[in-house]
């Protein structure tokens, strides 16, 4: 890709929690974070919290949802194609989960750390 990509920011760091409501209460009531997103997602919820004014959020995810860093891009399909062509270890396809969920795909760095590239909505 030679430095040309559509990645715009580190948007979300997903951390694994055992009880989403308990974790939400901790981050909001104890640390003073604000809720940025709380919506149904699979069998649970997709919850994002952040300190007031922060650009990057924490996603409080349960088992079955990958933990890790989410980056945003303006065009998931184009970045997927470019990264694969450049030899980056990416998922085989861009994931499309349906209405309200942006296109996304995973990629791995040389040490096997997973990043998830999510298209801006």
């Amino acid at each position: 890709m030679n430095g040309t990509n559509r990645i715009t920011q580190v948007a979300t760091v997903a951390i694994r929690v055992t009880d989403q409501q308990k974790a939400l209460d901790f981050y909001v009531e104890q640390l003073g974070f604000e809720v940025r997103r709380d919506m149904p997602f699979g069998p649970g919820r997709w919850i994002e919290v952040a300190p007031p004014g922060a650009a990057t959020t924490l996603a409080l995810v349960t088992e079955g949802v990958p933990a890790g860093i989410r980056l945003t891009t303006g065009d998931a399909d184009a970045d997927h194609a470019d990264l694969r062509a450049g030899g980056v270890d990416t998922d085989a396809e861009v994931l499309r989960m349906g209405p309200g969920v942006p296109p996304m795909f995973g990629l791995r760095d040389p040490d096997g750390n997973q990043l998830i590239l999510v298209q801006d909505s």
Side-chain angles (χ1 to χ4, degrees):
M1 283 184 51
N2 288 338
T4 58
N5 65 56
R6 295 156 199 87
I7 298 171
T8 57
Q9 69 176 336
V10 175
T12 304
V13 177
I15 58 173
R16 185 141 350 267
V17 300
T18 55
D19 181 321
Q20 285 182 304
Q21 189 59 52
K22 187 175 182 180
L24 178 62
D25 292 344
F26 170 77
Y27 282 97
V28 171
E29 295 172 14
Q30 301 297 312
L31 297 184
F33 285 25
E34 57 190 23
V35 178
R36 297 283 180 85
R37 187 169 286 135
D38 187 349
M39 57 190 250
F41 185 79
R45 295 154 57 191
W46 182 263
I47 301 170
E48 291 180 34
V49 297
T56 303
T57 62
L58 294 179
L60 310 176
V61 301
T62 57
E63 195 66 37
V65 177
I69 298 171
R70 272 101 173 129
L71 307 170
T72 57
T73 178
D75 189 335
D77 291 306
D79 276 340
H80 182 262
D82 290 347
L83 290 167
R84 282 185 72 81
V88 175
D89 177 16
T90 69
D91 292 347
E93 297 180 1
V94 175
L95 179 63
R96 288 177 166 73
M97 298 176 67
V101 180
M104 66 186 78
F105 66 93
L107 62 106
R108 273 111 351 241
D109 72 11
D111 292 305
N113 297 302
Q114 176 153 313
L115 304 168
I116 299 173
L117 205 51
V118 181
Q119 187 166 307
D120 284 331
S121 44

